[in-house]
Amino acid sequence: MADIARKAGVSVMTVSKVVNNKDDISQATRERVQTIIEKTGYRPSHIARGLATNRTGTLGVVVPDNANPFFSEITRAAEHLAYAEGYNIFLCNTSEDAERELTVLRSLEEKRVDGIILCSSRLDDAELRAALTGHPHTVLVNRRLDDHNSATVMVDDIAGGAATMRHVLQAGHQVIGMLAGPEFSFSGSQRLKGHRTVLEDGRYPLEWMAHCSPTVQGGYEVGGRLLTQQPNISALLCFNDLVAVGAILACKELNLAVPQDVAVAGYDDIPLAALVTPSLTTCHVPLDETGHEAMRLLLHQIKDEQTAGEISIIQPQLVIRKSAP
Amino acid sequence: MADIARKAGVSVMTVSKVVNNKDDISQATRERVQTIIEKTGYRPSHIARGLATNRTGTLGVVVPDNANPFFSEITRAAEHLAYAEGYNIFLCNTSEDAERELTVLRSLEEKRVDGIILCSSRLDDAELRAALTGHPHTVLVNRRLDDHNSATVMVDDIAGGAATMRHVLQAGHQVIGMLAGPEFSFSGSQRLKGHRTVLEDGRYPLEWMAHCSPTVQGGYEVGGRLLTQQPNISALLCFNDLVAVGAILACKELNLAVPQDVAVAGYDDIPLAALVTPSLTTCHVPLDETGHEAMRLLLHQIKDEQTAGEISIIQPQLVIRKSAP
DNA sequence: CTGTTAGCGCGTTCAT
DNA sequence: ATGAACGCGCTAACAG
């Protein structure tokens, strides 16, 4: 910047004002300085600026796994909005590892990001609270933390779970199995709760329910076992679409036709869902909207210094395809 | 840091040395300072450090679309390695837009990243060259730029294209259609070139080839048209797996059984490929290895100040499944 | 082993 | 409309 100043015959201050579009600069010098800047290929150092202003123009997005379509969609939407507002984002994977989650949160703190979006934190309340102090602005996605000033975006999985259960009940199914995903999953428990709300007696037979890892493999293994043990199951509600795909594979192996013998429903509506055979009836989670909303809340929080713990609920929507008509 | 120094009764310099694990500090003071640091929750400012050292500990990863599994896999592998080495990464989407690509490259420059990985750049040679000056270290993925000191990682799509063509020829197919993807795609042209190398006369009838957008929709529409116009096509080589899925849908609609009437091969081996029906014969591109290799080259370049334009070729591998046995 | 001096590149404040 | 002085939090290079 000193270079520019010298070449333009002005002070660094003047250059700074030109770069930042301050209005107390004469048109003449402004243009002269601009020209030199472009000719030189000068790039103002946002890092020096950050030191001076205490704002870095960077945000952190922390997800379990950015290659999981669930999070990559969210990340994309968030990055898109951030870009429009002139922010850059640090992308951090936790790999479902609490230790690593703590580490990246700390490193983002050291990088002095202006705020973070944290998806599906695996930390317990105390750890999370501790890891978040030091971060001026935070948005939590798919995770509640009471008495904390971070904003929150939640997918209404109770409503989604209710919708899938209602659908299979209306189709006349009586014995409805559930592949409920990981035992510790918050989303999983919400979806189960949703299933229950539409049952007459508010409960379901536990022997029709089984936990499984949230993968094709998990759905295949546990689904096969469940269908063998409870042969009169005629509909299967799955934790997510991958589990549903696994369950369908298991059905094929057991010579059960989907949906004639067993109807299968997924959850999330990842791109894959429409493309498998039979195409998946599933609950569409608007990830795009989720990511956009999270970033919107974060920017709003940064701009207005508003620290109210806003909370935004995203509504999923049942999509009826061929696996459970 | 001044706080810490005061509380510990030492100079800021001593604190700095403790933080940076310098070895000319007595065990006693080191521990005393450490204790205070932990009690205080002090976080060294990497941004101030960056100003002083001219190194930020941050890298940029620029991709067309981080929600595309192709790039999200690469990004994950790159981030994984970067994390292990203590770097944070800025993730930037270009949305296939040259303007935006230029913008993010500039903003990364302003953020003073230590290096960047740029995937599938849409810029022409001159633009790219210009956008890269100012970046101390760069790695290009799936893009050549001659006479430039950036490292390069390329997938050997000629070999991959040859492998798929060889496979269907050996299966006895005579009339082999090609859904070649976007006309301007570098990868696409390489794959076509690969197909050609294993043909006897080194060429293929143009009427069996059609360009299409690299999506399910593209494969479905153009695939349907091609099969209608050239009914004796018995095998279809597709630009990527999504196109292949679209082509399979088109076959179903035309009452052509896959693979009995028409064999279909994809490319990339995205997670979807094994899960559709019939499962896709495709060419596996080791994205994980690609991303890892790109980051390895970048870190190596940073560490050794080595500016040789290293180039690393990743070999894809044919995976035979049911769509083209 | 520890502290002092100087400066990284910029923005804020207040004069001119 | 322009500029000088100062400080942001840290480290490199020495000095003690």
Side-chain angles (χ1 to χ4, degrees), chain B residues 230-295:
Chain B
Q230 307 289 336
N232 33 3
I233 285 178
S234 72
L236 217 38
L237 301 183
C238 301
F239 172 69
N240 67 19
D241 293 333
L242 296 177
V243 170
V245 169
I248 289 177
L249 292 178
C251 288
K252 275 187 191 152
E253 201 161 291
L254 295 171
N255 278 321
L256 296 168
V258 178
Q260 293 79 358
D261 299 329
V262 181
V264 176
Y267 204 101
D268 287 346
D269 195 25
I270 62 179
L272 169 70
L275 301 176
V276 293
T277 310
S279 56
L280 289 183
T281 288
T282 186
C283 198
H284 177 79
V285 177
L287 299 171
D288 191 71
E289 187 185 339
T290 305
H292 184 89
E293 182 64 10
M295 184 54 77

Side-chain angles (χ1 to χ4, degrees), chain B residues 28 44 102 175 179 187 210 221 264 302:
Chain B
L102 289 171
V175 183
L179 292 176
S187 305
E221 289 174 1
V264 176
I302 290 173

Side-chain angles (χ1 to χ4, degrees), chain A residues 241 244-253 256-260 262 264 271-281 321-324, chain B residues 244-250 252 258 272-280 323:
Chain A
D241 292 334
V245 169
I248 290 177
L249 291 178
C251 287
K252 275 189 190 150
E253 201 161 291
L256 296 168
V258 178
Q260 293 80 357
V262 180
V264 176
L272 168 71
L275 302 177
V276 293
T277 310
S279 58
L280 287 183
T281 289
R321 298 204 184 89
K322 304 202 170 149
S323 69
Chain B
V245 169
I248 289 177
L249 292 178
K252 275 187 191 152
V258 178
L272 169 70
L275 301 176
V276 293
T277 310
S279 56
L280 289 183
S323 69

Side-chain angles (χ1 to χ4, degrees), chain A residues 19-72:
Chain A
V19 168
N20 292 353
N21 270 318
K22 301 285 183 188
D23 51 359
D24 54 349
I25 290 289
S26 77
Q27 195 58 25
T29 51
R30 179 186 301 278
E31 279 170 13
R32 185 153 41 90
V33 174
Q34 282 288 17
T35 316
I36 310 245
I37 286 183
E38 275 154 28
K39 208 181 317 180
T40 319
Y42 163 76
R43 297 278 180 272
S45 165
H46 271 67
I47 122 145
R49 178 181 300 177
L51 232 209
T53 60
N54 227 0
R55 292 186 54 268
T56 55
T58 67
L59 306 172
V61 173
V62 181
V63 297
D65 173 12
N66 81 289
N68 180 326
F70 191 90
F71 298 112
S72 66

Side-chain angles (χ1 to χ4, degrees), chain A:
Chain A
M1 184 177 260
D3 274 12
I4 309 288
R6 197 172 326 110
K7 288 182 186 167
V10 295
S11 75
V12 277
M13 205 45 247
T14 306
V15 177
S16 169
K17 284 174 177 167
V18 171
V19 168
N20 292 353
N21 270 318
K22 301 285 183 188
D23 51 359
D24 54 349
I25 290 289
S26 77
Q27 195 58 25
T29 51
R30 179 186 301 278
E31 279 170 13
R32 185 153 41 90
V33 174
Q34 282 288 17
T35 316
I36 310 245
I37 286 183
E38 275 154 28
K39 208 181 317 180
T40 319
Y42 163 76
R43 297 278 180 272
S45 165
H46 271 67
I47 122 145
R49 178 181 300 177
L51 232 209
T53 60
N54 227 0
R55 292 186 54 268
T56 55
T58 67
L59 306 172
V61 173
V62 181
V63 297
D65 173 12
N66 81 289
N68 180 326
F70 191 90
F71 298 112
S72 66
E73 289 283 343
I74 291 179
T75 303
R76 174 170 55 179
E79 196 268 352
H80 195 81
L81 183 51
Y83 171 79
E85 297 289 329
Y87 284 89
N88 285 103
I89 70 166
F90 283 116
L91 174 68
C92 301
N93 288 316
T94 67
S95 306
E96 314 267 4
D97 175 13
E99 196 72 35
R100 181 159 170 174
E101 185 174 340
L102 289 171
T103 307
V104 302
L105 287 174
R106 179 151 37 76
S107 91
L108 289 176
E109 207 177 322
E110 295 181 340
K111 248 71 175 202
R112 297 293 188 268
V113 293
D114 296 334
I116 60 170
I117 292 175
L118 174 55
C119 299
S120 305
S121 172
R122 293 284 188 260
L123 268 28
D124 67 42
D125 281 23
E127 286 176 314
L128 183 53
R129 213 178 292 274
L132 256 33
T133 64
H135 280 289
H137 303 287
T138 61
V139 174
L140 263 27
V141 175
N142 266 358
R143 171 61 135 90
R144 287 285 325 199
L145 185 62
D146 294 324
D147 300 323
H148 192 271
N149 60 3
S150 56
T152 307
V153 179
M154 297 283 284
V155 175
D156 192 345
D157 282 320
I158 296 189
T164 54
M165 179 61 92
R166 203 176 296 122
H167 176 66
V168 292
L169 284 178
Q170 281 171 356
H173 293 281
Q174 309 275 352
V175 183
I176 299 162
M178 279 154 287
L179 291 176
E183 223 172 318
F184 59 81
S185 160
F186 180 71
S187 305
S189 66
Q190 295 295 97
R191 290 167 197 183
L192 280 178
K193 198 178 291 184
H195 294 159
R196 203 156 39 200
T197 60
V198 294
L199 292 178
E200 292 207 341
D201 58 355
R203 58 176 291 284
Y204 43 74
L206 283 180
E207 61 270 26
W208 299 347
M209 194 264 274
H211 290 285
C212 63
S213 81
T215 59
V216 173
Q217 190 66 15
Y220 173 74
E221 288 173 3
V222 181
R225 211 176 308 144
L226 186 63
L227 288 169
T228 307
Q229 288 166 359
Q230 307 288 337
N232 32 4
I233 285 178
S234 73
L236 217 39
L237 301 184
C238 300
F239 171 69
N240 69 17
D241 292 334
L242 295 178
V243 170
V245 169
I248 290 177
L249 291 178
C251 287
K252 275 189 190 150
E253 201 161 291
L254 295 170
N255 277 321
L256 296 168
V258 178
Q260 293 80 357
D261 298 328
V262 180
V264 176
Y267 204 100
D268 287 347
D269 195 24
I270 61 178
L272 168 71
L275 302 177
V276 293
T277 310
S279 58
L280 287 183
T281 289
T282 187
C283 196
H284 177 79
V285 177
L287 298 170
D288 191 70
E289 187 186 338
T290 305
H292 184 89
E293 182 64 10
M295 185 53 76
R296 198 185 64 73
L297 288 180
L298 182 55
L299 294 172
H300 180 256
Q301 201 178 135
I302 291 174
K303 197 172 292 178
D304 299 7
E305 293 293 340
Q306 184 163 344
T307 183
E310 298 182 71
I311 170 163
S312 182
I313 310 277
I314 305 291
Q315 289 302 331
Q317 191 174 2
L318 185 67
V319 177
I320 299 170
R321 298 204 184 89
K322 304 202 170 149
S323 69

